[in-house]
C-alpha cells in the first residue's frame, strides 16, 4: 500500500521545522525523515531548505508568557470563561479556527499545562477568551487564579478538516456543538460567517449546563436552536435537517461518540457535506514529542494527532470502533 502523505498543521509556519526535524521524524519532509530523496506534497518553501538555513536545527520554539487575566465569568458552577491579555503576535496567530493554548498557574511546574481552545480573539485589544470546564487536577489548579496565568502557544490542530473550513464560501453550514464543544465552535461560526456562509447552530448545554456560544459569535446573525443532541429526539432533529436541507459543511463540536452519530446521520442522508470535527486526542505537549496523542492510521503507521490533520471519517471510526 502506498504510504499516505501527511499534512502537518505547523508546516510553513514560523515554528517549522520543529524538534521532529532534529530527531529525523518530520511529518512532511522525506529528507528530514532520513531518506535520500524528496517525496513530499508540501507546496510552500522547502522545509529541508529552511532547516539548512537555520543551521541544521529546528527554528523558533513556542514560548510561555505570563498573561494578565482581564476578566473571569462564571457560566455554570464548574465552567467559566477567562479573558487574557496576550502579545500582539500571539493574538494574531490565534485568530484561527482550531487554535488553542496551554495554560497553567504561575507557581505550577510545566506538567500542569492544560490545552484549552481559544473561543474568541480581539486582535485590536490583544485579548483572547478561553472557556474552561473544571474536570481534573490541572483545571482545578486554574480555577482560583484571578491575576496572571502562564500561556504557551499558539497551537492550531484543535480541529480536524480545517482545509474544508477555509475553502467553503457562500455555502450552507450546520454547526452542532455540545457542552464545552461550544468553545471551538464559536471560532468556526465566525470564520464561516466571514466567508459569507449561512450558518445554523444546534447547541446542547451538555455537562456544562448552559448554551453560551451565542455570547461569543459577535455580530453574526445565526439561527440557534437548543436541543439534547445525542438523545433520540435530538438525532431525529439532525436527521430531519440533513434530509430536507442541503448542507455544504457540518461541524461537530463534542465527543467522538457525537462525531460518530453525526457521521452516521450524514451517511443516511442524501447530501455529501464536508465534516469538520473537534480533535479529541489526548494532547499533552502539543509538539509531537510526548506521544500521548499517537494514533494509528490505516497503513499501520503511528502519527501524532497534535500535529497531523487526520482524515476526519477515518479518525472517528478508528477511535470509536477500534477502541
Ligand atoms: S501531544 Fe505530545 S506528541 Fe502530541
Amino acid at each position: 500500500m502506498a504510504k499516505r502523505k501527511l499534512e502537518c498543521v505547523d508546516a510553513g509556519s514560523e515554528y517549522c521545522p520543529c524538534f521532529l526535524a532534529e530527531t529525523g521524524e518530520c511529518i512532511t519532509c522525506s529528507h528530514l525523515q532520513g531518506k535520500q530523496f524528496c517525496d513530499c506534497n508540501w507546496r510552500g518553501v522547502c522545509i529541508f531548505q529552511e532547516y539548512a538555513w537555520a543551521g541544521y536545527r529546528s527554528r523558533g520554539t513556542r514560548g510561555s508568557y505570563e498573561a494578565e487575566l482581564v476578566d473571569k465569568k462564571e457560566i455554570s458552577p464548574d465552567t467559566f470563561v477567562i479573558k487574557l491579555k496576550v502579545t500582539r503576535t500571539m493574538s494574531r496567530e490565534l485568530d484561527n479556527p482550531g487554535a488553542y493554548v496551554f495554560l497553567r498557574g504561575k507557581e505550577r511546574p510545566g506538567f500542569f499545562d492544560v490545552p484549552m481552545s481559544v473561543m474568541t480573539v480581539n486582535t485590536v485589544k490583544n485579548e483572547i477568551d478561553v472557556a474552561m470546564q473544571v474536570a481534573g487536577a490541572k483545571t482545578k489548579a486554574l480555577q482560583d487564579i484571578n491575576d496572571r496565568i502562564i500561556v504557551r502557544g499558539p497551537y492550531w490542530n484543535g480541529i480536524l478538516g480545517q482545509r474544508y473550513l477555509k475553502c467553503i464560501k457562500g455555502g450552507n453550514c450546520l454547526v452542532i456543538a455540545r457542552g464545552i464543544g461550544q468553545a471551538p465552535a464559536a471560532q468556526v461560526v465566525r470564520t464561516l460567517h466571514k466567508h459569507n456562509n449561512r450558518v445554523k447552530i444546534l447547541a446542547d448545554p451538555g455537562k456544562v449546563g448552559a448554551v453560551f456560544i451565542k455570547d461569543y459569535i459577535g455580530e453574526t446573525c445565526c439561527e440557534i436552536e437548543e436541543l439534547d443532541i445525542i438523545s433520540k429526539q435530538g438525532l431525529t432533529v439532525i436527521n430531519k435537517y440533513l434530509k430536507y436541507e442541503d448542507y455544504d459543511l457540518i461541524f461537530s463540536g463534542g465527543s467522538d461518540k457525537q462525531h460518530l452519530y453525526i457521521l452516521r446521520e450524514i451517511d443516511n442522508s442524501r447530501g455529501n457535506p464536508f465534516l469538520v470535527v473537534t480533535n479529541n486526542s489526548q494532547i499533552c505537549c502539543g509538539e509531537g514529542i510526548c506521544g500521548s496523542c499517537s494514533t494509528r492510521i490505516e497503513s499501520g503507521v503511528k502519527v501524532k494527532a497534535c500535529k497531523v490533520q487526520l482524515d476526519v471519517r477515518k479518525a472517528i471510526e478508528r477511535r470509536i470502533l477500534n477502541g
Side-chain angles (χ1 to χ4, degrees), residues 282-293 304 306:
Q282 297 279 354
I283 289 180
C284 183
C285 69
E287 298 282 356
I289 303 296
C290 73
S292 75
C293 64
K304 312 284 174 58
C306 64

Side-chain angles (χ1 to χ4, degrees), residues 157-295:
N157 215 26
I159 285 176
L160 301 178
Q162 294 190 18
R163 82 167 100 142
Y164 307 131
L165 263 185
K166 286 171 188 162
C167 75
I168 206 106
K169 298 206 167 79
N172 193 21
C173 307
L174 182 66
V175 169
I176 304 171
R178 184 168 198 266
I180 200 68
Q182 294 171 77
Q187 272 278 41
V188 168
V189 170
R190 282 200 315 282
T191 303
L192 290 172
H193 193 258
K194 201 157 63 185
H195 296 159
N196 300 320
N197 295 290
R198 267 193 320 283
V199 183
K200 181 178 179 64
I201 304 173
L202 300 180
D204 180 344
K207 285 196 184 141
V208 168
V211 169
F212 57 92
I213 188 168
K214 52 183 179 289
D215 299 328
Y216 297 93
I217 52 175
E219 302 294 298
T220 57
C221 43
C222 305
E223 197 188 323
I224 303 182
E225 188 175 331
E226 196 174 321
L227 82 161
D228 181 352
I229 289 165
I230 55 173
S231 68
K232 207 167 169 206
Q233 188 208 357
L235 289 173
T236 312
V237 172
I238 293 171
N239 181 284
K240 186 188 85 188
Y241 281 124
L242 293 180
K243 200 164 168 189
Y244 296 110
E245 292 258 358
D246 269 334
Y247 288 107
D248 301 295
L249 181 142
I250 296 181
F251 171 79
S252 169
S255 64
D256 282 345
K257 202 167 151 196
Q258 174 186 317
H259 299 339
L260 189 67
Y261 278 141
I262 294 166
L263 190 59
R264 294 290 175 253
E265 292 302 329
I266 290 174
D267 288 345
N268 292 333
S269 73
R270 65 197 166 100
N272 191 20
F274 294 128
L275 180 62
V276 179
V277 301
T278 44
N279 181 356
N280 295 330
S281 309
Q282 297 279 354
I283 289 180
C284 183
C285 69
E287 298 282 356
I289 303 296
C290 73
S292 75
C293 64
S294 286
T295 307

Side-chain angles (χ1 to χ4, degrees), residues 44-92:
V45 176
C46 171
I47 295 173
F48 184 71
Q49 184 71 72
E50 291 279 1
Y51 186 67
W53 280 335
Y56 295 91
R57 288 176 29 199
S58 61
R59 250 169 104 209
T61 50
R62 289 162 166 106
S64 295
Y65 310 90
E66 214 176 286
E68 184 192 344
L69 197 153
V70 181
D71 188 37
K72 191 172 182 181
K73 185 172 156 194
E74 191 175 301
I75 301 287
S76 66
D78 62 357
T79 308
F80 48 99
V81 174
I82 55 173
K83 191 181 284 299
L84 296 169
K85 183 105 187 157
V86 295
T87 60
R88 188 149 179 254
T89 313
M90 174 91 95
S91 77
R92 278 204 324 266

Side-chain angles (χ1 to χ4, degrees), residues 106-127:
K106 261 190 314 179
E107 278 82 34
R108 303 288 181 184
F111 49 77
F112 269 82
D113 274 350
V114 56
M116 294 282 171
S117 288
V118 173
M119 192 160 49
T120 66
V121 180
N122 184 328
T123 50
V124 178
K125 292 183 175 174
N126 303 324
E127 290 173 349

